[in-house]
Amino acid sequence: MQDPGAGADAYTPTDRTVPTRSADRARYDRESVRAILDEGYVCHLGFVRDGAPVVLPTLYGRVGDRLYVHGSTGSRPLRMAGAADPGLPVCLTVTHVDALVLARSAFHHSINYRSVVVHGLAYEVTDPEEKRRALDALVDHVVPGRAADSRPANRKELAATAVIRLDLDEVSAKFRTGGVNDEPEDLGLPHWAGLVPLRKGYDTPVPDPALAPGTDLPDYLKVL
Amino acid sequence: MQDPGAGADAYTPTDRTVPTRSADRARYDRESVRAILDEGYVCHLGFVRDGAPVVLPTLYGRVGDRLYVHGSTGSRPLRMAGAADPGLPVCLTVTHVDALVLARSAFHHSINYRSVVVHGLAYEVTDPEEKRRALDALVDHVVPGRAADSRPANRKELAATAVIRLDLDEVSAKFRTGGVNDEPEDLGLPHWAGLVPLRKGYDTPVPDPALAPGTDLPDYLKVL
């Protein structure tokens, strides 16, 4: 185990990234943060519109310590980020639910989870090269290696797509792992207690009906 | 198929619940919204702190058209909701990722998903009876029927737990279903295209080592 908050390869905790409760479940090391981010499919992106919060699910990609979100040039958070000076305050959260934790007591029911919360300013990506790398990262985030096995975006598609960037700087990971934490006096109760892990991974892929003849399922999609 | 936006059993669309893009993917009927909410384990709760958005994963429960979120009395959004007058502006979002959509073109990569976004004011629940019902709903949301098969919260546990309520009123569901939408001129490309469904459901439960002798796995946890 690494020291959760220390070392050059960790993010510096801030007032916003130290939880008010269960601070022992927080971690700041880059390795934990990246592993959680890389396993996710969608993030939940929060921003403020007319003083109220908005939380939308969206795909994302990572290049080093930068996260990218894309969308139509007409989509609201992307337009807002493009217009904001210096940038649009956002909070980007990725969560994995690993297991249900069933305790004998209602109070101690919980879930085992891993989450990452990123605070910062989102900027529109205007450099064409960075935009291309970001879009590759977004596709590779869905399936690693997939960007190289698909037709790259053409000029029209690039023009229709906006990309915003959020740096990993003010960021924390949070975990709940392990078993049931019932009170000692409840251990003899007749209720079943334990973990119910949730299934993960790919189910059998379903090919497009119009697949070009002889197109085999790529190795990176083989179900283990 | 139901008419997505009409009828007495539907929520009324508002400026905040009509998306700027892909409005054809939005639905407002109560049945779709409830089905998506009831299938989730965590929601992503957004609120505004010092002018910036915060998005946190948390468990939730539903009773009719009311959602409940709970936590320690010391947790930040729960304290903020208790202190806010008339209530704390929140956005609560639940998302299911059903399948990866791999297109021949990078541009048309997507995911099949179902999400619900709820806007509104969160209020602290102070009525003891409503609080008990809310806590039962939170446990039953993890596993339906589980509240009746666990020890109810005692006075000390109730006092340590805060519950906030958010009414389902300004709410929408959003879907992406179906197959790959490649451009006609790309259909002959040699890249595999199709859907990769994600696995769902329970894996084999892991009993607590201190389970009382003779405590069998309940039927509601049997893996199909």
Side-chain angles (χ1 to χ4, degrees):
Chain A
M1 294 288 278
Q2 299 192 338
D3 182 352
D9 218 16
Y11 302 101
T12 305
T14 70
D15 176 49
R16 293 201 288 197
T17 62
V18 175
T20 46
R21 305 288 302 180
S22 305
D24 54 311
R25 293 185 184 171
R27 297 175 67 99
Y28 302 93
D29 63 285
R30 203 168 247 105
E31 189 182 345
S32 296
V33 166
R34 289 183 170 184
I36 292 169
L37 290 172
D38 292 353
E39 192 181 320
Y41 291 112
V42 299
C43 65
H44 282 81
L45 181 72
F47 57 100
V48 180
R49 182 187 171 212
D50 297 335
V54 180
V55 178
L56 299 178
T58 187
L59 296 169
Y60 64 102
R62 183 178 71 79
V63 178
D65 261 344
R66 290 184 163 174
L67 293 182
Y68 294 98
V69 169
H70 76 327
S72 149
T73 49
S75 88
R76 195 168 276 140
L78 296 166
R79 277 191 287 125
M80 287 174 70
D85 182 16
L88 180 70
V90 298
C91 182
L92 185 154
T93 301
V94 172
T95 305
H96 306 294
V97 179
D98 295 322
L100 313 178
V101 181
L102 303 195
R104 297 154 183 87
S105 57
F107 184 76
H108 284 294
H109 277 68
S110 186
I111 55 164
N112 280 347
Y113 69 96
R114 291 164 293 144
S115 66
V116 162
V117 177
V118 187
H119 300 270
L121 297 174
Y123 301 92
E124 184 177 2
V125 174
T126 52
D127 176 68
E129 263 317 295
E130 183 179 7
K131 190 169 170 180
R132 277 194 181 278
R133 281 196 306 273
L135 293 174
D136 281 350
L138 275 146
V139 171
D140 280 337
H141 193 88
V142 176
V143 176
R146 178 69 188 180
D149 188 20
S150 58
R151 173 180 67 70
N154 59 35
R155 192 179 311 203
K156 185 181 149 203
E157 291 166 343
L158 282 172
T161 306
V163 175
I164 57 176
R165 182 184 78 224
L166 171 64
D167 289 341
L168 291 174
D169 177 30
E170 193 171 354
V171 52
S172 61
K174 216 171 150 199
F175 293 72
R176 201 259 181 220
T177 56
V180 177
N181 292 331
D182 264 317
E183 304 297 328
E185 62 268 29
D186 288 335
L187 293 183
L189 291 176
H191 310 299
W192 188 89
L195 299 181
V196 182
L198 299 181
R199 300 176 79 210
K200 304 264 178 179
Y202 298 158
D203 243 325
T204 310
V206 181
D208 185 62
L211 215 55
T215 306
D216 292 328
L217 186 71
D219 284 341
Y220 55 76
L221 292 180
K222 299 255 160 82
V223 178
L224 297 180
Chain B
M1 292 288 278
Q2 300 191 337
D3 181 349
D9 217 18
Y11 303 100
T12 305
T14 71
D15 175 48
R16 292 201 289 196
T17 62
V18 176
T20 45
R21 305 287 304 181
S22 306
D24 54 311
R25 292 184 183 171
R27 296 174 68 98
Y28 303 93
D29 63 285
R30 204 168 246 104
E31 189 183 344
S32 296
V33 166
R34 288 183 172 185
I36 292 169
L37 289 173
D38 292 353
E39 191 181 321
Y41 291 111
V42 299
C43 65
H44 282 81
L45 181 71
F47 57 100
V48 179
R49 183 186 171 212
D50 298 335
V54 180
V55 179
L56 299 179
T58 187
L59 295 169
Y60 64 102
R62 182 178 72 80
V63 178
D65 262 344
R66 289 185 164 174
L67 293 183
Y68 294 99
V69 168
H70 76 327
S72 151
T73 50
S75 88
R76 196 168 275 138
L78 296 166
R79 278 191 287 127
M80 288 175 71
D85 182 17
L88 180 71
V90 297
C91 181
L92 186 154
T93 301
V94 172
T95 306
H96 307 293
V97 179
D98 295 321
L100 314 179
V101 181
L102 303 194
R104 297 155 183 89
S105 57
F107 184 75
H108 284 294
H109 277 67
S110 187
I111 56 165
N112 279 348
Y113 69 95
R114 292 164 293 142
S115 66
V116 162
V117 177
V118 187
H119 300 270
L121 297 174
Y123 301 93
E124 184 176 3
V125 174
T126 52
D127 176 67
E129 263 319 295
E130 183 179 6
K131 190 169 169 181
R132 277 195 181 277
R133 281 197 306 275
L135 292 176
D136 280 352
L138 274 146
V139 171
D140 280 338
H141 193 89
V142 175
V143 176
R146 178 69 187 179
D149 187 18
S150 59
R151 174 179 67 69
N154 59 32
R155 193 180 308 204
K156 185 179 148 204
E157 291 166 344
L158 283 171
T161 307
V163 175
I164 57 177
R165 182 184 80 224
L166 171 65
D167 289 342
L168 291 174
D169 177 31
E170 192 170 354
V171 52
S172 60
K174 217 171 150 199
F175 294 72
R176 200 257 182 222
T177 56
V180 177
N181 291 332
D182 263 318
E183 305 296 328
E185 61 267 30
D186 287 334
L187 294 182
L189 291 177
H191 309 299
W192 188 91
L195 299 181
V196 182
L198 298 182
R199 300 176 78 211
K200 304 263 180 183
Y202 297 158
D203 244 325
T204 309
V206 181
D208 184 61
L211 215 55
T215 307
D216 291 330
L217 187 72
D219 284 343
Y220 55 75
L221 292 179
K222 299 254 160 81
V223 177
L224 298 178

